[in-house]
Amino acid sequence: MSSLTHLDEKGQARMVDVSDKAHTEREARAMAVIFMQPETLQMIAEGKHKKGDVLATARIAGIMAAKRTPDLIPMCHPLMLTSVKVELTPNFDNASVEIVAICKLVGQTGVEMEALTAASTAALTLYDMCKAVDKGMVINQLQLLEKKGGKSGHWQRTH
């Protein structure tokens, strides 16, 4: 395990200096799952929510969140994202919506935090829009699935 890069030699928090790093293609894929009552999922899937298209709103919120990640996570670098995709898939077998966020760029640092922020914000948006009918929703399984590029290369979750 490597050392914590966000700490200096005195153990104080710092933003990592990436000025000597090469510009490379980088990509990260993250997910979250929100579980709900079957009736809530049915309402979302049929577009019958009085607040409008819940999935479209959550998708836009995830994209916006990826672009605002350095405003939320103190040591994140502002990045010029070249692509953000947020996919929301209703799963009727377990009354959930599976969220996958994919972020890409050509730059000097990775996009893992942007993908995780996009997935979590999309899930939070679903909760916010549906809490009036289902306060018991649970957001779960927020995790990085894959990252490509940079010095450490390709990493993929195996379980």
Side-chain angles (χ1 to χ4, degrees):
M1 184 175 243
S2 60
S3 63
L4 299 174
T5 58
H6 285 89
L7 298 177
D8 67 14
E9 58 281 344
K10 295 179 184 175
Q12 297 174 336
R14 66 171 176 148
M15 186 180 214
V16 176
D17 183 356
V18 297
S19 56
D20 290 335
K21 287 182 155 187
H23 286 264
T24 60
E25 290 184 22
R26 297 163 186 260
E27 178 179 331
R29 192 167 49 95
M31 71 169 287
V33 179
I34 182 167
F35 296 89
M36 60 195 66
Q37 296 297 318
E39 301 79 20
T40 306
L41 181 59
Q42 193 68 39
M43 178 186 61
I44 291 169
E46 293 175 359
K48 293 184 176 176
H49 196 293
K50 66 182 179 180
K51 291 185 178 181
D53 189 338
V54 174
L55 296 177
T57 303
R59 184 176 302 107
I60 292 167
I63 293 167
M64 291 175 64
K67 297 189 303 182
R68 301 295 302 263
T69 299
D71 293 336
L72 302 169
I73 311 295
M75 302 304 166
C76 283
H77 293 84
L79 302 177
M80 291 297 299
L81 297 169
T82 57
S83 175
V84 179
K85 295 178 184 171
V86 178
E87 302 164 353
L88 297 106
T89 306
N91 183 329
F92 292 96
D93 292 336
N94 65 7
S96 65
V97 176
E98 298 169 359
I99 302 156
V100 175
I102 304 162
C103 295
K104 295 180 182 180
L105 63 65
V106 175
Q108 295 169 291
T109 189
V111 290
E112 296 92 341
M113 294 310 300
E114 287 71 14
L116 287 161
T117 301
S120 61
T121 301
L124 288 168
T125 300
L126 286 172
Y127 188 96
D128 180 51
M129 293 189 74
C130 297
K131 68 183 183 274
V133 296
D134 189 354
K135 288 182 178 33
M137 292 175 285
V138 174
I139 297 170
N140 205 328
Q141 301 178 37
L142 177 63
Q143 59 190 297
L144 182 66
L145 297 174
E146 182 177 23
K147 71 133 271 345
K148 298 177 184 175
K151 183 179 176 182
S152 62
H154 187 209
W155 177 89
Q156 188 167 11
R157 184 167 298 284
T158 57
H159 59 280

